[in-house]
Each structure stands twice: as structure tokens, then as C-alpha cells.
Amino acid sequence: MNVYDSARMADVMAPVGYVATDVADDADLVILNTCHIREKAAEKVYSELGRLRPKKEDGTMIAVAGCVAQAEGDEILRRAPYVDLVVGPQSYHRLPKLVADATAENKSSGRSRVVDTDFPAESKFDFMPAVQSSGPSAFLTIQEGCDKFCAFCVVPYTRGGEFSRPVEAVLTEADQLVGNGATEITLLGQNVNAYHGDDQGLAGLIRKLANIEGLERIRYTTSHPRDMNLDLIAVHGEIPELMPYLHLPIQSGSDAILARMNRKHGADDYLKIIDALRVARPDIALSSDFIVGHPGESDADFEATMALIKKVEYAQAYSFKYSKRPGTPASDMDDQIPEDVKSERLAALQNLLNQQQITFNEQTVGSSIPVLFERRGKLPNQIVGRSPYMQAVHVSCVDAAAADRYLGKIMPVRITGAFANSLAGNLDDEVVAETTKMEPARA
Ligand code: SAH
Ligand code: SF4
């Protein structure tokens, strides 16, 4: 979501003369778009700010955006007084005015301290210009915030209450993205499947999006098991554009810990959803988030998580040590788990997940898979894309012209090698021959 937000910030700043640059030294304004979900992410902001500080001497303006800005606005100005501007995730449509205010303050007093961490009554989305550009695979935020208040999580405090964008606004933005070259759209939300901007919820929105010509792949993330309704499960079997991959976090396999987390679902509820998804779309690849060492997690609770992972067999997953977040109920629970126990559990869990990921990837060797190529790789003439199952796929092309030609396209790839985090393959021989034949005509 921060990637999406950063792109929108660039769009908002374009009319007042700003363009994005990859080189920090060229920048007149640096915006750090930050994440507060775990302590490590939040702490990184301060080390990054320290690194940027010398740039102030060249007159560069420094802004902090995102959830750390929201949660620690004043603390940021205390710890890094050279920051000019702090803007929360719901206020960045006001960036042009905030930057102008900070510039004026700097001129008059040599120092600015502009802070906007409101939850404005207006929706920032209503003030956003049309999407300016897009790669082959684009993000589109359709829902923000959360009302679920899991005991460990800061999201309801930093992003605010649950909000869905109206279906018309989403369809308009999807059209803009496809018009700008997107072939794939990933719908985003902290609780994306709680989307209620359409009468038929997320299922209804996906059905409508599937009618957009040129939009060949649809994904959505992140979902909550409680909002995984039967209609949405059915859409996985019904809409070919909806990719056979779902990130559905469970956090823990122990009912006792799920209750302490205030997740309002048990391990069995989750397993039933997985079964139903696999009936609807037998090849669906599954992913999850896991937290180890949540307060109160016993060895038996942890083993229940390991047992659940073995049952589901994930294609990939994200896993984290529980991180205490200020102001959340779990941070005040007495039975906090020692760091070394958390580390041990995380290592065991990641080992199991890695094995499952390799097994999943190895199953694809020898088969032909449609890959959407998104970017050039590190090697000469190499291109990288994603399989329907979200695997990164690397392919070497005969020359640079071929590599450019395939970027943004979906091509069948024969998979020749599987690794922990990616696949290698060749463009199907026939396809290469076809395209080569077509070449003189095009030239
Ligand atoms: N809405 C999604 C999750 C959004 S937060 C859901 O309910 O599943 C993304 C992930 O960060 C969570 O799934 C969780 O695994 C992790 N996370 C959130 N708070 C955390 C904390 N305090 N410590 C460790 N991991 C955390
Ligand atoms: Fe956080 Fe997700 Fe729980 Fe909401 S549902 S509180 S975003 S973990």
C-alpha cells in the first residue's frame, strides 16, 4: 500500500512542478513513506533520517509520510528536528499546500515544523488527479483502515476505521491504469475482502473489473478469514482473470492464541475456507502471515501453528516475531515471550515454510506457465515476470530487442529450474519461432 501511496503522492505533486527521481541527491524534496507495523520498520525511519540530514545543507526539504508520521508525529520532530513536514496517510492529498506552508515557514524563520496527522472528513481519493503512469502490474487501493482491532496490531490506530471507495471510482481508476499499460491489477486494502463499495462486495467488484478489456489479471490483498464469504470463494472458480493465488493470513494455528489475538476465528474455520477455495479452484496457491511469540504462546500453541502449516501446504508465506506496539492491548499482556524463544520458533517455522515453498516451486518444473513480464533482470537480456501463482520467473532472451518486446506481455514459459524464491525458464520454442517470423513484417 505504501508503494501505491507513494505513486499517488507523485501524482498529487506533479501539477505543482515536481517529478519523481531515483537519485536522492537530485531531489528538492525527499518524502520518506513509512511503516509502523513492527518496531524494526519504525526504527529504520530514524536511521534513514540521520542519513538524509546532510542534504538539508543543500536546501533539500525533508518530509515524513505514512503510518510512523501518523503515530509519532511530534516524536519525529523531537528526535529529528530538521524534518520540515510530517503528513499522515489520510492527508497526503494536501501535500502541495503543506509543502508551500513549509517553504514559507523556512523563508520567514529559517525553520519549519508543519504537521498534518488529521483524519480529514473528506476522502483523499476525491482530491487525487488521474493516474499518470503505470507498469504492466499495478496496485489499486480500494479499501483502507480496519475495525477489527486484533490485539497485536496498530493498523486501526494509524490508518483509522474501515473505509471502502465507491465502485465507480475504482472502475474509473482501473480504466486509467489499463489505459496507461497495466495488464494486471492488484486490489489493495488492509482488509480488502471487507470491501463494501459494491452491493455484492469484493466479489461484485471483481466481476465488474473482469469486463475491462485489456485487464487480464486481477489479484487482491490482504484478506481476513472472517470476510472470506461464499460468493467471494465462488468467484475464484468463476472468473478466469482472478489469479489462482490467495494471501489469507491466519497468524497462529492455536485457538487459544487466536482468541488472545482477538481474531474472532478458529483454526478450523480457516481450514474450512481453504477446503472450499480448493474445491472452487483446485490449483489455487496459498500464502499467509504468521506471528510467533505472541504473548501467552506456549510450546503446544506453537506446535499447533506448525501442524496447521503442514495441513495447508503453503506456496509461500510471511512470518514475523511478535513485536510490541505501543497502545495495543497485546503490548500490556503479562506473559510476553523471551526474545530467544521467539527466534527459535521463527527459525523452525521459516524452515518448514521454505521447504513447502521449494516443493511448490519444484512441482512446476517441466510445465508451461503464462508469465506476465514486468521488468528487465540483472543479467543482460534477462526479463522477470510473475506466474499466475505469484512466483517470480526469470527468462533469458536472445537479444535486447527481444527482451524489450516481451516486457508487459503475457507469454508461455517452459519452466526449467526451481529455487526457493524464483523459477527459471525458456520462452516456449514455438512462440519464439512465431515471433521471429513476424519480425520482418513489423519492421
Ligand atoms: N489485515 C491483515 C494484516 C495486516 S498487517 C490481517 O488481518 O491479516 C500485516 C501483517 O503484519 C499481519 O498479518 C501480521 O502478521 C503482521 N503484524 C502485525 N502486527 C504485528 C506485530 N505487532 N508484531 C509482528 N507482526 C505483526
Ligand atoms: Fe491489524 Fe489485520 Fe487485525 Fe485489522 S484485521 S487489526 S489490519 S491484523
Side-chain angles (χ1 to χ4, degrees):
M1 189 171 279
N2 272 10
V3 172
Y4 173 85
D5 285 344
S6 299
R8 292 292 76 74
M9 287 184 213
D11 289 345
V12 166
M13 292 302 285
V16 288
Y18 285 80
V19 288
T21 169
D22 291 334
V23 187
D25 278 343
D26 289 349
D28 300 308
L29 164 69
V30 176
I31 305 176
L32 283 188
N33 195 10
T34 61
C35 176
H36 200 244
I37 197 80
R38 284 170 293 277
E39 193 180 355
K40 223 175 169 179
E43 275 308 310
K44 249 195 226 162
V45 176
Y46 294 99
S47 52
E48 198 66 19
L49 282 173
R51 229 172 46 82
L52 285 168
R53 184 180 191 165
K55 289 184 52 56
K56 285 286 290 186
E57 277 153 35
D58 313 332
T60 304
M61 188 178 281
I62 299 180
V64 180
C67 289
V68 179
Q70 188 63 43
E72 301 183 7
D74 293 329
E75 166 92 356
I76 293 171
L77 292 179
R78 197 181 57 74
R79 285 179 65 176
Y82 46 89
V83 166
D84 296 280
L85 166 60
V86 172
V87 55
Q90 303 311 344
S91 305
Y92 65 71
H93 55 296
R94 298 172 173 168
L95 262 175
K97 172 161 190 322
L98 297 170
V99 169
D101 290 351
T103 310
E105 275 188 29
N106 271 325
K107 271 201 187 121
S108 65
S109 66
R111 178 169 188 207
S112 76
R113 303 174 68 89
V114 175
V115 178
D116 186 346
T117 50
D118 288 352
F119 286 106
E122 82 265 13
S123 160
K124 65 184 173 210
F125 295 108
D126 295 340
F127 294 83
M128 226 67 86
V131 173
Q132 309 289 309
S133 64
S134 175
S137 177
F139 289 129
L140 199 177
T141 293
I142 62 166
Q143 181 280 334
E144 265 195 73
C146 181
D147 295 335
K148 291 201 166 60
F149 291 92
C150 297
F152 52 83
C153 183
V154 288
V155 168
Y157 312 96
T158 55
R159 288 269 170 176
E162 209 180 287
F163 162 83
S164 293
R165 293 178 70 187
V167 65
E168 298 77 24
V170 174
L171 293 173
T172 303
E173 192 168 321
D175 274 332
Q176 289 166 359
L177 289 166
V178 173
N180 284 327
T183 300
E184 171 176 282
I185 291 182
T186 301
L187 306 171
L188 299 180
Q190 272 89 24
N191 267 288
V192 75
N193 59 339
Y195 177 77
H196 56 264
D198 182 88
D199 304 345
Q200 289 169 26
L202 183 58
L205 175 64
I206 290 171
R207 289 190 180 103
K208 292 189 175 91
L209 284 167
N211 291 328
I212 296 181
E213 195 155 337
L215 180 57
E216 297 189 37
R217 290 183 165 194
I218 302 171
R219 304 178 186 276
Y220 62 94
T221 199
T222 291
S223 295
H224 192 286
R226 295 254 308 172
D227 297 309
M228 210 60 226
N229 62 44
L230 289 176
D231 197 26
L232 185 54
I233 293 173
V235 166
H236 279 273
E238 174 192 316
I239 302 284
E241 288 84 357
L242 184 59
M243 289 293 100
Y245 170 88
L246 182 65
H247 179 64
L248 187 63
I250 184 168
Q251 317 297 354
S252 165
S254 152
D255 285 340
I257 293 300
L258 289 169
R260 297 202 82 190
M261 287 176 163
N262 192 32
R263 288 289 291 183
K264 300 199 176 80
H265 62 78
D268 269 351
D269 303 322
Y270 181 87
L271 291 171
K272 280 192 189 121
I273 296 167
I274 300 294
D275 286 345
L277 280 162
R278 283 181 164 152
V279 169
R281 182 79 209 230
D283 65 334
I284 196 162
L286 294 158
S287 160
S288 177
D289 290 338
F290 296 96
I291 296 179
V292 298
H294 186 274
E297 187 186 70
S298 65
D299 285 338
D301 292 320
F302 175 67
E303 286 311 321
T305 302
M306 296 289 275
L308 179 126
I309 294 173
K310 285 177 193 152
K311 253 189 212 151
V312 175
E313 296 184 2
Y314 287 97
Q316 70 140 67
Y318 303 91
S319 45
F320 316 99
K321 284 193 251 185
Y322 166 72
S323 168
K324 240 180 168 183
R325 305 313 290 127
T328 59
S331 68
D332 289 333
M333 292 178 183
D334 329 323
D335 33 13
Q336 299 287 329
I337 305 300
E339 204 50 34
D340 56 334
V341 177
K342 286 190 211 171
S343 302
E344 231 171 78
R345 288 180 186 166
L346 187 66
L349 181 124
Q350 290 188 336
N351 190 22
L352 175 60
L353 287 168
N354 279 343
Q355 282 169 22
Q356 292 193 345
Q357 192 168 325
I358 291 173
T359 305
F360 180 81
N361 286 347
E362 279 173 349
Q363 284 165 6
T364 57
V365 174
S367 60
S368 173
I369 299 182
V371 174
L372 169 59
F373 288 105
E374 294 173 26
R375 59 184 172 86
R376 297 290 291 256
K378 288 200 184 103
L379 302 177
N381 306 334
Q382 189 186 48
I383 47 176
V384 189
R386 295 232 172 236
S387 77
Y389 313 103
M390 274 301 268
Q391 296 146 300
V393 183
H394 292 75
V395 165
S396 287
C397 297
V398 280
D399 55 26
D404 285 342
R405 198 163 57 231
Y406 296 128
L407 280 183
K409 299 214 169 62
I410 298 175
M411 305 294 291
V413 172
R414 183 72 53 184
I415 303 302
T416 52
F419 313 96
N421 294 307
S422 67
L423 302 174
N426 297 319
L427 288 162
D428 275 3
D429 287 344
E430 267 182 43
V431 180
V432 173
E434 274 277 318
T435 335
T436 321
K437 249 190 287 164
M438 275 159 52
E439 216 37 29
R442 266 212 221 151

